[in-house]
Amino acid sequence: MLENAKKITVIGGGIWGQTLANLARRNHLAVRVWSRHSGEDLGNVIADTEVIISAVSIKGVAPTIEKLQQLQLNSCTIIVTATKGLDPITTRTPFHLWNQAFPDNSLVVLSGPNLAKEINQGLPAATVVASYAPKAAILLQKLLSGESFRVYLNSDPLGTELGGTLKNVMAIASGVCDGLQLGTNAKSALLTRALPEIVRVGTCLGGCQETFFGLSGLGDLLATCNSPLSRNYQVGYQLALGLSLPEILAKLEGTAEGINTTEVLMRIAQKKFLYVPITCQVDRLLRGEISPQVAVDELMRRDLKAEFD
Ligand SMILES: NC(=O)c1ccc[n+]([C@@H]2O[C@H](COP(=O)([O-])OP(=O)(O)OC[C@H]3O[C@@H](n4cnc5c(N)ncnc54)[C@H](O)[C@@H]3O)[C@@H](O)[C@H]2O)c1
Ligand SMILES: O=P(O)(O)OC[C@H](O)CO
């Protein structure tokens, strides 16, 4: 089956793009990785490609789409988006941007608790491929599944994408919590309250509630908020140690999408009147308006309320 399988191009030569390419190679698939720095002509690279996996950071999504639009992509080519971010111009998710640009192509979202470094070590992990085109998702499931990488299907691409995107804001908060050594009770309270905040936003933006309790929602929240491998967690942790954001970013390996996501999410929340107390404190912290300790104090001092309302 896999011998006849599709030729794959991964766009984005960062750690996630390389990791996804390695997963496909483990299944003996023909994979090419293209990045804006590779010097190759993208038209030549995708000439016989049947699956394109986009693993660029959010700021690369619009330019990548623009580049591909100039190449007259075959409508049979399956597009997979693995980016976890919100477009700063439109506030839309990558799924929307890809869908708007290539409405005739099958589009699949790939998202889950997937710290690239662990996957590269061959440690067991699971992910989700979600699409309105079930055949495309099933194909991706087959192409990427392996002994140490288990791929689940889902029919809610927006919810799958939003879970992975929104948890990055919470990972910054979680890093702050650990950096300030606030303890296990505080961490549990933070993560448990983070989930309804994610669900509130995610369902308002079109995701199904159930999806946020799955691998791409709760699963990714737990992975990212508990791992020093997460760049978003690292940002929060180092802010709590007293470093400034520019100092942190100067040494950070790769992209911490939660920084941009926080800013975009605040705009969405204000427009749609969404209650996002944790995001609000992360936003003020990232803007340098408050210290990590003040962010904690403000969360604790809010009006008392019912747990579920
Ligand atoms: N690293 C992980 O463990 C992991 C896991 C799952 C999902 N993701 C998501 O995948 C995406 C990429 O993550 P990463 O860790 O590989 O990040 P990275 O910073 O290592 O790589 C980002 C990639 O995007 C490309 N890019 C950035 N701006 C661009 C532009 N203007 N035009 C074209 N390309 C551009 C860069 O060249 C690079 O190839 C992020 O959205 C991230 O949240 C990462
Ligand atoms: O390093 P981060 O914070 O971008 O997290 C990576 C993945 O999103 C974890 O699933």
Side-chain angles (χ1 to χ4, degrees), residues 11-18 34-37 54-61 63-64 67 82-85 110 112 114-117 164 167-168 220 231-232 253-257:
I11 299 183
I15 186 167
W16 191 224
Q18 296 290 353
W34 183 90
S35 93
R36 63 192 158 145
H37 305 303
S54 167
V56 294
S57 53
I58 190 68
K59 64 181 177 185
V61 173
T64 301
K67 219 179 257 294
T83 305
K84 295 176 176 174
L110 185 148
N114 297 151
L115 296 153
K117 283 191 179 169
K167 60 79 194 175
N168 283 334
D220 206 2
R231 284 84 46 96
N232 291 290
E253 271 181 40
T255 312
E257 295 277 29

